[in-house]
Amino acid sequence: MNLGNCPRCGRLYALNFRDVCSNCIKEIEQEYQTCVDYLRENKGANIQELSDETEVSIKTITKFIREGRISIENAPNMMYPCEVCGMLIREGHMCDSCRTRLTKDLASAAREVGQKENNQVGGRAYNAVDKLRD
């Protein structure tokens, strides 16, 4: 039996597929139900209002949204923070600005690596040819 400490409460528990102890699973389910009940009554609520009224953290609410447990499709004001900059978004993990910046940075890094590889390969080829001439 694999044992571990629950990352949420610190108690020792038998490891399971949820990575938290059974007591925390119950608490998470209760938090989820509280959020769902509040949203049924207040469809225009945003994530801050939901968090304040239910006392469920924005991080936990965001996790419910990303897991697909809370749908934001019929909640026009419901948005969650970008993982990079914190700007409110309705889909994905990053806002358009952070996604664009990441794409540019990756393309730039790929070009740098490609240039270094070309220089190294070219240098080796010429060295091999030069050695044959000697």
Side-chain angles (χ1 to χ4, degrees):
M1 175 183 278
N2 292 334
L3 298 176
N5 288 77
C6 177
R8 188 173 159 123
C9 70
R11 289 185 225 146
L12 191 64
Y13 77 107
L15 294 175
N16 58 41
F17 69 97
R18 294 283 303 265
D19 294 329
V20 293
C21 70
S22 59
N23 289 337
C24 288
I25 289 173
K26 289 175 188 170
E27 288 175 15
I28 291 168
E29 292 306 313
Q30 181 59 44
E31 289 175 344
Y32 167 72
Q33 193 58 50
T34 302
C35 289
V36 168
D37 292 343
Y38 183 81
L39 286 173
R40 280 191 188 120
E41 299 295 320
N42 304 283
K43 293 188 186 294
N46 65 35
I47 197 165
Q48 187 64 53
E49 291 172 21
L50 179 60
S51 178
D52 292 344
E53 295 298 321
T54 61
E55 297 181 359
V56 176
S57 72
I58 289 177
K59 182 178 177 182
T60 301
I61 296 168
T62 300
K63 186 175 178 186
F64 292 151
I65 293 170
R66 287 205 178 112
E67 290 173 346
R69 297 179 73 189
I70 292 180
S71 173
I72 62 173
E73 206 166 294
N74 294 323
N77 298 328
M78 186 63 63
M79 295 185 278
Y80 53 91
C82 166
E83 288 183 1
V84 179
C85 69
M87 183 174 139
L88 294 177
I89 57 175
R90 289 189 57 86
E91 63 182 30
H93 293 273
M94 288 186 276
C95 64
D96 290 338
S97 174
C98 290
R99 189 177 304 114
T100 301
R101 188 174 58 242
L102 178 63
T103 302
K104 286 180 182 176
D105 290 348
L106 287 172
S108 174
R111 277 193 303 275
E112 287 178 19
V113 168
Q115 287 173 352
K116 286 180 183 177
E117 287 177 356
N118 286 341
N119 291 341
Q120 290 174 352
V121 170
R124 289 183 193 147
Y126 289 121
N127 287 341
V129 171
D130 289 342
K131 287 181 182 179
L132 290 176
R133 290 184 186 167
D134 291 336

